[in-house]
Amino acid sequence: MIRDARVLRAGFVPREVEHRDAEVNHLSSVLEPITNGEPADTAIVTGPSGAGKTCISKFVTERLREEVLDVETTYVNCWRNYTRFRTLYQILDDLGATIDIHRQSTPHDELVDRLQQHDGPRTVVILDEVDQLEDPSVIYDLHSLPQFAIICIANKEEELFSRVDDRLVSRLRSSEHVRMDKYHDEQLYDILSSRAKWGLDEDIITDDQLYRIADAAAGDARLAIGILRTAAGKADRENHERITDDILLDAAEDARAQIKQKSLDSLTPHQRVVYDIVREHGPVGPSEIHERYTEDVDDPRTKRTIRTYLSKMEQYNLLEAEGTSRDREYSPVDSAAASPMQ
């Protein structure tokens, strides 16, 4: 049943991307100076979860590496590598320059010095979930080095700008901005159809079922592909000849649960404390959340940072908010209530 499992994986970058030609062309034009050995502007790629930001960034940089011999790329998930040290270390590790670096004792400045001394090929650094950096000065570290081109991926520009100092805000505002919207159902159907064509045998899933997945995913390609992958895996394990409607219903629920668990596992320790407070006491407002949070941790973050955490968890469907900014209250999302499969 499964012809090529790679096509169904979340991080798979296809040879051709669907419905993102303008964004691909825009990002390609930003990086084009690298093909002539020149420094490239910083690019900021924004859009909701599942809009294809990471896929497009990886797609463009892979095409660049096919065209130019002396170009390297490195990818950093800043939600996982949320400290300045971890981010710098990940970049240097990809460049093969961490042999004598000790995670416990090496100072940050030495890592920056290593990057400054890097005399290898020009390198495109993709900073995914860049608004999750606890110390965004790492963007400034890289911005000042002409041998590195930066792609910053975030859900919202304003949340990125609210967390960096004035010297960097002005630079980022003058950067190239690639803005992406949610996919429409028809666009998601095309993406799913392409994945099914290359990843599955023929007649395993119907067009109607693909449309229903697209509708249930509500513009989120990550969720749509996750439902297709989960359904195909279940049908394959149980030796079905095709994906049945019952399998599809179970797959939608399972895929949502998997994505939610992955998002929960990605939370930083401070974000997890905030999430647990909302889960235990919600609906609850930001002031009470911050008050309880400061009681639970030794080195509390600012109210502004906590609001950023809450917004991030809302974007990733972990929390939902009701009310205006003045009387807003947060509650945990009930996964079972989200866009059911018809």
Side-chain angles (χ1 to χ4, degrees), residues 73-74 81 83 86 150 161 164 191 194 217 253 272 276 298:
T73 64
T74 177
N81 301 286
T83 67
R86 285 192 192 185
I150 317 167
F161 294 155
V164 299
I191 290 169
S194 178
E253 193 174 323
R272 185 68 203 217
D276 287 342
D298 294 330

Side-chain angles (χ1 to χ4, degrees), residues 35-231:
T35 63
N36 301 315
E38 301 291 333
D41 284 340
T42 294
I44 299 177
V45 181
T46 58
S49 175
K53 302 182 297 295
T54 304
C55 180
I56 292 303
S57 300
K58 288 184 173 181
F59 174 83
V60 170
T61 52
E62 280 303 304
R63 297 296 85 77
L64 185 67
R65 290 186 69 223
E66 288 179 5
E67 292 178 23
V68 185
L69 194 60
D70 277 350
V71 172
E72 293 297 335
T73 64
T74 177
Y75 171 85
V76 183
N77 184 323
C78 299
W79 206 337
R80 191 173 302 119
N81 301 286
Y82 54 87
T83 67
R84 185 181 175 211
F85 185 94
R86 285 192 192 185
T87 301
L88 293 170
Y89 184 92
Q90 179 67 57
I91 297 167
L92 285 166
D93 197 42
D94 287 347
L95 296 173
T98 54
I99 294 171
D100 55 346
I101 289 177
H102 301 287
R103 284 181 177 270
Q104 305 301 324
S105 58
T106 303
H108 292 75
D109 290 347
E110 185 172 326
L111 300 185
V112 177
D113 288 343
R114 290 278 179 101
L115 288 174
Q116 288 173 336
Q117 294 161 16
H118 175 65
D119 59 356
R122 289 188 181 276
T123 301
V124 182
V125 179
I126 300 174
L127 298 176
D128 203 352
E129 306 281 5
V130 69
D131 50 342
Q132 287 294 293
L133 286 171
E134 288 192 345
D135 182 359
S137 64
V138 67
I139 306 171
Y140 191 84
D141 295 334
L142 293 167
H143 204 283
S144 60
L145 302 175
Q147 63 268 50
F148 294 95
I150 317 167
I151 299 175
C152 293
I153 302 176
N155 292 106
K156 297 180 178 179
E157 287 172 15
E158 56 267 29
E159 289 186 0
L160 170 58
F161 294 155
S162 72
R163 307 204 53 233
V164 299
D165 61 25
D166 292 342
R167 63 177 180 168
L168 189 53
V169 166
S170 59
R171 294 192 181 196
L172 290 178
R173 286 199 186 281
S174 64
S175 300
E176 288 286 338
H177 293 231
V178 181
R179 298 176 176 90
M180 299 171 67
D181 297 319
K182 271 193 171 188
Y183 289 106
H184 303 306
D185 284 1
E186 289 284 344
Q187 294 172 329
L188 273 186
Y189 165 79
D190 289 342
I191 290 169
L192 290 168
S193 182
S194 178
R195 298 286 174 118
K197 176 184 176 182
W198 297 108
L200 302 176
D201 288 336
E202 285 187 39
D203 302 323
I204 298 302
I205 190 166
T206 66
D207 284 349
D208 179 63
Q209 287 174 320
L210 291 176
Y211 273 115
R212 285 160 57 201
I213 294 174
D215 180 59
D220 186 337
R222 181 178 60 156
L223 175 56
I225 294 166
I227 295 172
L228 178 62
R229 178 178 63 253
T230 305

